[in-house]
Amino acid sequence: VCSMFSAAFVRPCSSASAAIRRAAGASATAAQRRSLASSAPAKSAESLTSKIGSQLADERRRLFAVVHVNDRQWKVTAGDLIQLEGASPLEHGDRIKIEKVLAVGSADFSLFGRPLLPADQVTVEATVVERSHKAPELYYRHYNHHQTRITRWQTTETTLLRIDAVRASPAILSEHSTEETTEAQRV
């Protein structure tokens, strides 16, 4: 299915109109670029930035974050429990700050890092609730034609974290909004 992009909407088109559009060539794409690069998106981007900034400043808003811990990504909010597998140097009751934050947002907006958001402007705080081992699992391996069998019981250390708070500073918007607005105008 082909589609023709307009500044306001996406509309499906037939194969005949796609052939006409291909014949028109660069003139149609240049007109589309001019319409996208008008000054109207810059004004709406500034108002959008102010709206998101006011929502970030409100402490009652529930934010979510996508964090990277132990080679896994977790989408967390305040009060969530996550179980990390593998040995860690954390002890029961330790309070930690997770610094690898990939995205933060709420029901109305999302902010994505490239690849990470600045650690001084987005904070995810957690507390170690429990350290334990998973239930033993049987590891069985049989090598054909070698008359070799390996049978072991394996346990994995786990650490249970409770997410205490997800906070984002409104300053995160002022740093990147001018770059993104000028980049959107160039495209």
Side-chain angles (χ1 to χ4, degrees):
V1 174
C2 62
S3 61
M4 183 166 69
F5 294 93
S6 174
F9 60 91
V10 177
R11 175 180 59 194
C13 63
S14 67
S15 60
S17 63
I20 294 169
R21 211 180 38 221
R22 267 189 257 116
S27 62
T29 57
Q32 290 173 355
R33 286 185 188 149
R34 280 193 299 272
S35 67
L36 288 174
S38 67
S39 61
K43 291 178 184 176
S44 66
E46 292 170 7
S47 64
L48 182 65
T49 303
S50 63
K51 287 179 185 176
I52 293 173
S54 65
Q55 291 181 6
L56 284 175
D58 186 9
E59 291 291 325
R60 296 172 291 153
R61 306 255 330 155
R62 185 175 175 117
L63 294 177
F64 73 86
V66 178
V67 296
H68 185 267
V69 182
N70 283 1
D71 295 330
R72 290 185 67 184
Q73 294 179 10
W74 303 85
K75 180 181 179 244
V76 296
T77 60
D80 284 353
L81 295 172
I82 59 175
Q83 185 175 16
L84 307 178
E85 293 184 1
S88 68
L90 302 173
E91 294 297 326
H92 177 74
D94 287 350
R95 293 184 58 98
I96 62 170
K97 177 182 172 188
I98 301 173
E99 293 187 349
K100 288 187 178 182
V101 181
L102 304 168
V104 69
S106 74
D108 300 330
F109 69 93
S110 296
L111 300 173
F112 298 94
R114 296 182 183 177
L116 299 174
L117 292 170
D120 57 336
Q121 296 174 352
V122 178
T123 59
V124 177
E125 298 170 0
T127 303
V128 178
V129 175
E130 178 182 297
R131 287 201 54 192
S132 61
H133 293 274
K134 287 176 74 174
E137 296 176 354
L138 181 64
Y139 174 79
Y140 177 78
R141 183 70 190 229
H142 175 75
Y143 295 101
N144 288 337
H145 308 293
H146 292 279
Q147 297 181 356
T148 304
R149 291 182 190 161
I150 300 172
T151 305
R152 284 193 298 239
W153 289 97
Q154 284 182 276
T155 60
T156 305
E157 291 183 33
T158 61
T159 304
L160 190 65
L161 297 178
R162 181 187 330 104
I163 305 299
D164 295 327
V166 177
R167 294 188 190 96
S169 168
I172 194 169
L173 297 172
S174 63
E175 182 177 316
H176 299 289
S177 63
T178 56
E179 295 174 13
E180 293 170 358
T181 304
T182 56
E183 189 175 313
Q185 288 176 348
R186 279 186 284 161
V187 174

